[in-house]
Amino acid sequence: MNSREYRQLRQRRRAASLGVNRKRKHPDPEAERLIEFASMWAPFGGVTEEEILVHFGMKMRRFIERLWQVISESNCVQDEIRILESVYPHPTDSARH
C-alpha cells in the first residue's frame, strides 16, 4: 500500500466514524450541532455553562430554551428526548416549580 492509498483509507475510515452519511435529525445544521452537543454531554450530567459560552456564546438558560425549541422541530427519537429531558429540564417545567 502506498502513501496515497493509505491516506484515502484513513479518510474513508474517518468519514465513517464521523457518520458523514447518516440521516440528519434536523434540517438546520446549527440546530443539529446543538442537539448533538447536548446529547454528548448528557451522560456526564449535562454541559457546563463555560462550555456553552465557548461553543455557542449563550448562557445556560438560553441554551436550554433553544435546545427545546429545536427538539420540537427535530426527528429525535423518544429515548434521546427522555435522556435530554432528565439532564436539561424543559424551561416551562422549571417555571412551574
Side-chain angles (χ1 to χ4, degrees):
M1 175 181 295
N2 64 32
S3 62
R4 182 171 180 252
E5 291 170 335
Y6 178 72
R7 263 187 271 123
Q8 288 175 340
L9 176 64
R10 283 190 53 189
Q11 288 172 345
R12 283 194 301 272
R13 284 183 182 165
R14 180 168 162 71
S17 71
L18 293 175
V20 168
N21 297 320
R22 71 177 174 14
K23 185 179 175 186
R24 297 189 68 79
K25 293 179 189 172
H26 199 282
D28 176 16
E30 186 64 26
E32 175 80 10
R33 185 172 157 249
L34 193 125
I35 293 170
E36 286 181 357
F37 189 77
S39 296
M40 177 182 72
W41 280 93
F44 306 103
V47 64
T48 64
E49 184 126 13
E50 293 83 18
E51 287 292 322
I52 293 170
L53 190 59
V54 168
H55 290 277
F56 296 98
M58 59 180 83
K59 298 275 189 174
M60 177 72 80
R61 182 181 174 126
R62 178 66 185 126
F63 174 80
I64 292 173
E65 287 171 356
R66 182 74 178 120
L67 176 65
W68 287 108
Q69 181 184 18
V70 298
I71 284 176
S72 67
E73 303 164 355
S74 73
N75 299 325
C76 289
V77 293
Q78 286 300 317
D79 289 340
E80 185 174 20
I81 292 173
R82 274 189 230 108
I83 291 168
L84 291 172
E85 217 167 26
S86 69
V87 178
Y88 309 100
H90 202 287
T92 57
D93 293 342
S94 60
R96 290 183 201 149
H97 294 99

